[in-house]
Structure formats: structure tokens, C-alpha cells
């Protein structure tokens, strides 16, 4: 490796996060069990500083773009890139992880998982996501993915005496390992066909016709399968409901929010950039996965009594929408998916946050019936849950509508009108189970008169802000839409530039 | 100032709703009521200049507001009203005021939420009537489902859950396809401006598909036969105020959708398939009129009567002769929309007055009400006559014009449509006879008290409106005339290339 191409400073946020995670790990050894608050605060500080560094990197990238230069800065001999797409995604991830810790503090304390491991492993999982978002090489990509996955396998198993959690961890691990295997197999085929691990190198060799097409197609099939597993798209979705249900809600939130952003950038770089020439091939595979996800996700969600399982199936259907944005293989579609994922992360965080704040020791708020008559017992929480549900259902004035609109626009714009019709038909079916939650909260009588657990004040305030953000972004979505589609456009341009070299 | 009138019409009620909501629990219910009254009154007053300052000679959009909203998608915050929409903005704000008064002491639980839901919905409905950008329209059109869903579900009758979910899903089903239609039109024109949609050339097959999408959205909302089944359920279970707004305003939004979207955007397809709409409308008029005759529940009867009247409205919209819409029929249909707004609100309020006392909507549980409630019975008589289309009441004007237009186009269509005058009289007056006349039927009726001041106020306002419009409808028809002529031109153009 040539020292000049090391360029390590480009990766400042990751390097800082890595060092801090190690410091938190060491520091926690000297903090007594009863004073884990200190570690918690330190972790939040680390997250805040990481966010600041990422924002700086983002500003730098946007400045370069404004001056007409390429905003992508490469490091470690082109194995790592910092560009606006990665930086926007990373900001979302840091936010998503911070929300997990803030909402989950009281929940974790009551369940005895408010320990040092929680913080360090969470930080490492974040590091894994950030590496994934910046990877431009199969190796970096895979390392990031495994760092994320291993940290989360361990986290899910943290309540080690709890049968459901260990079962969930086991399932997640076995299927996750299988998915990694598939992905790795696919990547190795692509490597075999093109002789390179660099995404752009692979792309340009495929375009120039220097790769064995048969091998490339087979590789693509396995890569798409691996992606399907990681996103939780049908038919590779089996683990999602079980893991959501079994894992402590805190970790269901961690699995269900920020990593989706990492997965988005991962898919963008792997399929959108690396395998761009095979767009029609993987596009066709994604059509099947997307439609099946919409069908199974929405239909199965109707039958659920457990709200965590319901949210799991709802995630599957949302991932179907994300794939719909991808399968048109152009910048408009990717931008739509990016916006969808970004807003989904915010929405999902709010939904799990509400579940955790309403749980208390010895009582797990996880059945839809636990929300009965919530409007009478705590109108503010009921209103917030209402906003989350209508946003997920895609009813306007909430941000979920614009997420769906952007995907539908991408579909109709690329001539996939029939897919747009399928998508809206299944959103209609999806609306039913979101409406049912609202019905339970507003129309039913409460079963118990006991006041609802409301959680810590800081968590309450941030949760309220989070839910109001769904409305605010629904009324003023322009800034975020513009920024994210600009970032995607820049990344497409710089990827095209790299392929020409 | 005139530039902001529509902004005020939308945001004053919404803001008032949020303030009312902030008063919280029922310990401050009195405050919530007065704030809601003030908010709805303010909301009504700001819409009056829309009428007084309306330029009768112009067919264009007036009181326009244009600001960029979502630049990356070329979506604008574009408001404006013409003769087709201005009346409904005013009618809606007016109805909201009545609804607040109507629910004054009847609603005892979660008063603030009840009032807030109506105020917010009022603003959203005004937004839908005033929107000139398709996505803005869609946002308002969909968002109003949320308060209505809660109104039916929280304050409704025994089967409210079923009715509210059915209401929500039916209307959502229709409108989602329209969203795709809008996106398709955006791809053709590069913007979501409704007025730009009017000018874009479209092939026949595209127009037919667009018409189908619009049909789903607006026919469900109107509702036209055979997608009407949500309405009787929603009406029966909704609280009185909910039924009033539903019948008086939200149904009109569906009919308005045909005027604003279907006819001008897909004129060739509309002309080609007008017979489908005429046929469905006639089924609504005749068959649903017959269905109304056999109802044993008063609210259901009025609900079916609404469907039948709205069938008359859609019939008026699709009376093409030689490629041109019939002016009488369209003006009559719009007049009918307004008059039905008053009359149906009044009918539902009357039923609500009786329901609050007896807690039954069954016709069989009443009889001889006139003996105990003479004032009420006189008002109810007026509204029943108006519902039957008696000359001199609001109901007559629209029906007469539609039949007049229909005769010019096709005698047999007019003949079938005119049967509504018989059916309407039959089901309304027969119900009236069974409920109001005769001997006092049971002790519940014997204990009835006549209307109180609040109820008298609502009934009197509605009675003035019904009679005023019936005796001198010119101010209303004048407002619509230019815009209707413009619409007839738009619907007569060809977009085929």
C-alpha cells in the first residue's frame, strides 16, 4: 500500500468512534454496577462528537461539490470513501443509535441489561454500520457487515437467562451467518469473474465485457439473496418477526432502525454502482422480492396480536417499498429509497420508543391490547402513537406519505405503473392494521385504570420531539428530499467518474 | 388582504382546533366549547368576503395564493377558488359553526377532542376545495379522513368500529389510485398544477385509465352506486355532527372532484363513457330511492336519500348533447349540492334532536311527536318538504334545473330521473307521517320536551337558508355561471392528437 493513498484523515469519524469505543470499554471496568449512568452519559457524548465529525465531513463534501469538484474523498487505497450519501446515512445512524439508548435507558435498567457491554457493543455495531456505508471494496463491505452483525448477535443474547431472547439470538445468528455466507459466496464469484475486489473496478470490467457473464450473473444472484436476508425481504424474512418478538424491545429498535440505513448504502454501492450494468437482471429479482414483501408483510401483519410482531411484518412491507425504489435502477429511484429509509428510521424509532416508555418492570408492553383505551389514560401518548401509525400507513400530513409518494413517482416515471398499483393496493391493506391500533387506543375502553407508565422525562421529551418531527417533515419535506436526492446524484456522478478511470 | 382570505379560511379553523385541543380534559369542557364557538365563528366570518368580493364576471381562479412548497418535485402551495368551489368553502365553514352549536351539550365526553376534530377537519376540507395543486389537494383530501375516522369511532353508535374502519378503507382505496393518476399526469406535464393538467394532450386509452382512477376516488366519496355501501353505515353510527358534515360537505367533495378533475382532464373519455355515469346515477336515483322507502331507521333513510340526491348531482354533470354539457343540468347539479348541504344537515340535526331525547332512531319507536314538540314538528316539516323537492324550498331549484337539462338531452333519462320527485316525497313524507303525526305512541314520546333555545337557533338558521335559497336562488347560480360555462368549454375540447 502506498502511504500517500492512505489518506486516513478522511475516516476521522470512524477512527474517533473506534478509539472512543475502546475507551468506553476500558473506562466501564472502573464504574460500579450502580453507577452505569456515567458510562451511559459518556456513550452519548461519544455519539454526539461522532455526529459533529460526520457533519464536518458532510460539509466538506458539499463544499467540494459546490466548487465543481468530486465530493467523494477516498482513503486506504480506494477501500473507503466519504461522500455525502455516506455522511447523510451516518448522521441518520448516529441519531438512530442515540435514540435507542435514550428511549431504552429505563427499560434496560429494569431488565438488568444496563451494563457496560450494552454501550460498547452498541458503539461497535454503529462502527460496523458506518464502515458499511463508506465501503467501496468487497472486503471493507464485508468487514463492516460482520462487525455490525456480531455486535448485534451478542446484544440480543444479553438477557442470557431469558429463553425468548436466547432463542431469538440463536435464530438471528444462524440465519445471519447463512446470509453472510451467501453474500460472501456471491462476492467471491464476482471476484473470480473480474479479478478485483474494488466495486468500481468490478463495474468497469463488467461494462467492458471482460468478465464471464455467466459467473457474474450467478454472483449477482447470491449477492441479491444475501441482501434480501439482511433487509428482511420475503422470501428471506423468516427471522424478522421472531427476532423482533424475542429480543428486548431496546434491541428490536436497534435492529429495526439504524442498520436499515447501512443496508441502503450497501445496496446502493453494490448493486447501484458495482453491478449497474446488470440493472435489468437484479431489477427483475428485486421485483419479485418487493412484491412478495408487500404481500406477505401486509397480510401477515393483520393476523398479529403482538405489536412487536406486527411491527416486524410492517418492517418487511416497508422494505418492500424500499426495494421498489431500487428496482428502477436510476438516481430518482435510489433517492426515493434513501428518503424512504431515512424517514422510516425516524418512524420506527418512535414506535419502539413508545413501547419501551410504556413498559415497566414486570410488565412488557407488547400486545396490541395493552394500548386499549390509551386515549383515556394518557391522551398525549395516544396522539403520538396515532401520528406514528398514520405516518407508517402513508396518510398525508405525515412524512410516510411523502416517502411513499417519492417511491411511486420513481416507479411511474420509469414505466412501472403496474408495480405502483400493486404497491398502493397493499398499502391499503396495510392501512387496516395501523388503523386497528388507533381503534384500540381511541375507541376501546381501558381494561385497567392504572396510570400508564410514562418513562423518564428526558426520554419523554425527545420522544415527543421525534413524533412531532414526523408531522413537521410531512408538512415541510422539501429540505430533506432535496438534500438526499442531491447526495444520491453526486454519488452516481462520482461512481461514474471512478469507473472511467 | 384578499390574497390571504383562503389562507385564513384554511388555517384559522385548524389553529383554533389546536388551541381547543390544548385545553385538555373534560374539567375544562366549558372553555373548550366557547373557544370552539369562537374559532368556528371566526372561521365562518373569514369566508364571507370570498362571496362579497367574488368577481362574477370572471371564470378564472380568484383569491389565488402561490408559493413553492416542495421544489424538488415541483409541488406548489397553490390555492384559488372559482365559481365551482367558492360556495363549498363557505358552506363548509357555515356547517362547522352549526355543528359546534349542535354538539354543545350533547357531547359530554372528551369535548375538547370532539370540537377540535371538527375544526381541524373544517380547515382541511376548505383546503381540498381551494387547492389548485394536485398533491396539495390530495394531502387535504386524505388528511381529513383522520378526524372523521376518530369522530365516527369515538363518539359514534354501537357499531362504530366497523363503520369507521369501513369508511376509512373505502375512501382510501379510491383515492390511492388517484394518486397514481396524478403522478402519471405529472410525468406528462412536469408539474402538479391542476390547471396544467387541463391543457396536456392525452391519448384515449390514457384518458380512460385516468377516468377510471378518478371514478374510484370520487365515486366512492359521492357515493355512487355500487360503491355506496359505506355511507349508510357511517351515517348511522356517526354522531349527529359527524353525519351533518359528512352529508353536507364531504359528499360534495366527491362530486366536486368530477368537476375539477374528471371532466376537464379526460374530456374525450368523459364524453365517450358519459352513459356509464348516467346509468349509475339513474340506478342511484331510482333503486336507492326505493331502498330508502323500506328503511326502518330514520338515519339510514336519510342516508339513502342522500345517495339518491347525489345520484341526481352526478346525473347533471354528465348530460352531454352533441359533445357539450348541458348548462342547466350542471348549474342545477351545483345548486342541488348546495341545497342538499343545507337540507341534509337539517334532516340529520332533526333526527339528532329526537335521538338525544329518546335514544332511538327507529321509526317504530316514535309517533305523535307533533303533540309534544309542535315547534320542532313545524321545522321538521319544512326540511322534509325541502328534501322531497317542494317548490319554494332549496331542494326544488336544483332538481328542477337538472330535470330541465335532462329533458333537453334525452327525454327518457329525464323521465327516469324525475321519479326521484315521487320517491323522495314518498319516503320522506311517509317517515314524517309515521314519526310526527298520529296519537302519542308510547311513554317515551309522551315525555318529550320541545326544542330548547340552542336547538331552535340551529333550526332557525337552517330554515332561513333553505327558504332563502328556494325563493331567490339567483345569488348562488350567478356565482357559478361563468365557471360552469368555462367548464363546458373544457369538457367539449378534444385532447386527442
Amino acid at each position: 500500500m502506498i502511504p500517500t493513498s492512505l489518506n486516513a484523515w478522511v475516516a476521522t469519524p470512524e477512527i474517533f468512534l473506534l478509539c472512543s469505543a475502546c475507551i468506553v470499554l476500558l473506562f466501564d471496568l472502573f464504574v460500579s454496577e450502580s453507577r452505569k449512568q456515567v458510562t451511559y452519559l459518556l456513550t452519548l457524548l461519544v455519539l454526539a462528537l461522532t455526529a459533529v465529525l460526520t457533519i464536518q465531513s458532510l460539509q466538506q463534501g458539499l463544499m467540494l461539490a459546490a466548487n465543481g469538484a468530486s465530493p467523494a474523498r477516498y482513503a486506504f487505497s480506494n477501500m473507503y470513501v466519504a461522500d455525502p450519501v455516506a455522511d447523510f446515512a451516518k448522521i441518520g445512524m448516529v441519531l438512530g443509535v442515540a435514540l435507542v439508548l435514550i428511549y431504552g435507558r429505563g427499560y434496560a435498567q429494569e431488565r438488568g441489561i444496563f451494563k457496560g457491554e450494552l454501550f460498547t457493543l452498541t458503539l461497535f455495531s454503529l462502527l460496523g454500520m458506518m464502515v458499511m456505508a463508506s465501503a467501496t471494496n468487497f472486503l471493507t463491505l464485508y468487514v463492516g457487515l460482520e462487525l455490525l452483525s456480531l455486535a448485534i448477535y451478542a446484544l440480543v443474547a444479553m438477557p442470557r437467562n431469558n429463553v425468548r431472547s436466547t432463542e431469538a439470538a440463536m435464530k438471528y445468528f444462524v440465519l445471519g451467518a447463512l446470509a453472510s455466507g451467501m453474500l460472501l459466496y456471491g462476492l467471491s464469484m464476482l471476484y473470480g469473474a473480474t479479478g478485483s475486489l474494488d466495486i468500481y473496478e468490478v463495474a468497469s470490467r463488467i461494462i467492458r465485457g471482460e468478465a464471464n457473464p455467466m459467473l457474474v450473473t450467478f454472483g449477482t444472484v447470491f449477492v441479491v439473496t444475501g441482501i434480501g436476508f439482511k433487509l428482511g425481504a420475503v422470501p428471506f424474512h423468516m427471522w424478522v418477526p421472531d427476532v423482533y418478538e424475542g429480543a428486548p424491545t431496546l434491541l428490536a429498535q436497534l435492529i429495526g432502525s439504524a442498520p436499515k440505513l447501512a443496508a441502503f448504502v450497501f445496496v446502493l454501492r453494490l448493486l447501484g454502482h458495482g453491478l449497474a450494468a446488470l440493472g435489468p437482471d437484479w431489477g427483475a429479482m428485486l421485483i419479485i422480492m418487493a412484491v412478495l414483501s408487500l404481500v406477505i408483510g401486509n397480510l401477515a401483519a393483520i393476523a398479529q396480536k403482538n405489536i412487536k410482531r406486527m411491527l416486524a411484518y410492517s418492517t418487511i412491507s416497508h422494505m418492500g417499498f424500499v426495494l421498489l425504489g431500487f428496482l428502477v435502477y436510476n438516481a430518482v429511484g435510489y433517492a426515493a429509497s434513501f428518503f424512504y429509509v431515512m424517514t422510516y428510521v425516524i418512524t420506527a424509532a418512535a414506535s419502539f420508543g413508545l413501547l419501551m416508555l410504556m413498559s415497566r418492570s414486570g410488565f412488557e408492553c407488547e400486545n396490541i391490547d395493552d394500548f386499549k383505551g390509551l386515549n383515556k389514560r394518557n391522551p398525549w401518548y395516544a396522539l403520538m402513537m396515532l401520528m406514528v401509525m398514520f405516518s407508517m400507513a402513508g396518510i398525508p400530513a405525515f412524512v410516510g406519505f411523502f416517502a411513499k409518494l417519492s417511491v411511486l413517482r420513481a416507479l411511474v416515471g420509469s414505466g412501472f405503473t403496474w408495480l405502483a398499483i400493486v404497491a398502493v393496493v397493499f398499502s391499503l391493506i396495510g392501512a387496516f392494521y395501523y388503523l386497528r391500533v388507533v381503534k384500540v387506543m381511541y375507541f376501546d375502553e381501558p381494561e385497567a385504570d392504572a396510570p400508564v407508565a410514562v418513562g423518564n422525562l428526558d426520554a419523554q421529551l425527545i420522544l415527543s420531539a421525534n413524533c412531532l418531527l414526523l408531522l413537521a417533515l410531512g408538512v415541510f419535506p422539501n429540505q430533506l428530499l432535496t438534500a438526499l436526492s442531491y447526495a444520491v446524484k453526486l454519488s452516481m456522478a462520482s461512481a461514474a467518474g471512478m469507473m472511467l478511470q | 388582504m384578499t390574497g390571504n382570505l383562503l389562507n385564513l379560511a384554511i388555517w384559522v379553523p385548524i389553529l383554533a382546533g389546536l388551541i381547543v385541543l390544548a385545553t385538555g380534559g373534560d374539567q375544562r369542557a366549558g372553555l373548550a366549547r366557547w373557544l370552539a364557538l369562537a374559532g368556528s365563528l371566526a372561521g365562518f366570518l373569514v369566508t364571507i368576503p370570498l362571496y362579497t368580493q367574488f368577481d362574477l364576471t370572471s371564470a378564472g381562479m380568484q383569491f389565488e395564493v402561490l408559493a413553492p412548497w416542495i421544489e424538488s418535485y415541483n409541488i406548489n402551495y397553490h390555492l384559488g377558488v372559482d365559481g365551482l368551489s367558492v360556495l363549498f368553502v363557505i358552506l363548509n365553514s357555515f356547517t362547522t359553526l352549526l355543528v359546534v352549536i349542535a354538539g354543545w351539550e350533547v357531547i359530554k365526553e372528551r369535548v375538547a377532542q370532539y370540537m377540535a376534530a371538527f375544526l381541524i377537519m373544517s380547515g382541511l376540507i376548505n383546503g381540498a376545495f381551494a387547492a389548485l395543486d394536485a398533491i396539495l389537494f390530495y394531502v387535504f383530501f386524505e388528511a381529513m379522513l383522520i378526524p372523521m375516522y376518530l369522530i365516527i369511532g369515538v363518539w359514534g353508535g354501537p357499531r362504530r368500529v366497523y363503520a369507521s374502519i369501513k369508511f376509512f378503507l373505502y375512501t382510501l382505496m379510491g383515492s390511492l389510485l388517484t394518486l397514481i393518476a396524478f403522478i402519471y399526469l405529472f410525468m406528462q406535464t412536469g408539474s402538479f398544477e391542476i390547471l396544467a393538467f387541463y391543457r396536456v394532450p392525452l391519448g384515449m386509452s390514457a384518458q380512460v385509465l385516468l377516468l377510471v382512477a378518478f371514478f374510484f376516488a370520487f365515486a366512492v366519496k359521492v357515493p355512487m352506486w355500487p360503491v355506496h355501501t359505506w355511507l349508510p353505515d357511517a351515517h348511522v353510527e356517526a354522531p349527529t355532527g359527524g353525519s351533518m358534515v359528512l352529508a353536507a360537505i364531504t359528499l360534495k367533495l366527491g362530486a366536486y372532484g368530477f368537476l375539477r378533475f374528471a371532466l376537464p382532464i379526460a374530456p374525450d373519455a368523459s364524453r365517450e363513457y358519459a352513459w356509464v355515469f348516467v346509468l349509475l346515477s339513474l340506478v342511484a336515483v331510482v333503486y336507492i330511492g326505493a331502498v330508502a322507502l323500506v328503511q326502518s331507521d330514520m338515519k339510514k333513510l336519510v342516508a339513502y336519500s342522500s345517495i339518491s340526491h347525489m345520484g341526481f348531482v352526478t346525473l347533471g354533470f354528465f348530460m352531454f348533447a352533441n359533445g357539450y354539457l348541458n348548462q342547466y343540468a350542471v348549474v342545477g347539479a351545483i345548486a342541488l349540492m348546495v341545497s342538499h348541504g343545507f337540507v341534509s344537515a337539517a334532516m340529520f340535526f332533526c333526527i339528532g334532536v329526537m335521538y338525544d331525547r329518546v335514544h332511538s332512531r327507529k321509526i317504530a319507536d316514535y309517533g305523535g311527536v307533533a303533540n309534544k314538540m309542535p315547534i320542532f314538528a313545524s321545522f321538521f316539516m319544512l326540511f322534509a318538504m325541502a328534501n322531497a323537492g317542494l317548490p319554494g324550498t332549496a331542494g326544488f331549484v336544483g332538481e328542477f334545473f337538472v330535470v330541465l337539462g335532462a329533458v333537453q338531452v334525452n327525454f327518457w333519462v329525464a323521465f327516469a330521473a324525475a321519479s326521484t320527485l315521487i320517491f323522495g316525497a314518498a319516503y320522506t313524507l311517509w317517515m314524517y307521517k309515521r314519526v310526527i303525526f298520529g296519537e302519542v305512541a308510547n311513554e317515551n314520546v309522551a315525555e318529550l320536551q320541545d326544542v330548547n333555545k340552542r336547538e331552535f337557533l340551529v333550526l332557525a338558521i337552517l330554515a332561513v337558508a333553505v327558504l332563502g335559497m328556494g325563493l331567490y336562488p339567483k345569488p348562488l347560480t350567478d356565482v357559478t355561471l361563468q365557471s360552469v360555462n368555462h367548464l363546458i368549454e373544457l369538457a367539449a375540447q378534444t385532447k386527442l392528437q
Side-chain angles (χ1 to χ4, degrees), chain A residues 11 14 75-81 127-148 183-184 187 197-199 266 269:
Chain A
E14 281 84 357
F76 310 114
S77 305
N78 288 356
M79 292 178 87
Y80 173 99
V81 64
L127 181 63
M129 295 177 219
M130 291 173 69
V131 170
M132 267 171 89
S134 275
T136 52
N137 185 296
F138 289 161
L139 282 182
T140 345
L141 206 63
Y142 190 72
V143 167
L145 181 65
E146 284 306 290
L147 182 56
L148 163 69
L183 186 69
L184 203 55
L187 293 180
L197 289 169
D198 184 274
I199 287 181
F266 166 80
R269 293 209 204 279

Side-chain angles (χ1 to χ4, degrees), chain B residues 364-388:
Chain B
D365 288 345
Y366 293 88
V369 173
N371 299 320
K372 293 292 166 186
M373 301 176 75
I375 303 176
F376 171 77
S378 335
F379 277 120
F380 196 14
M381 180 68 160
L382 172 69
F383 299 134
M385 290 298 181
N387 200 39

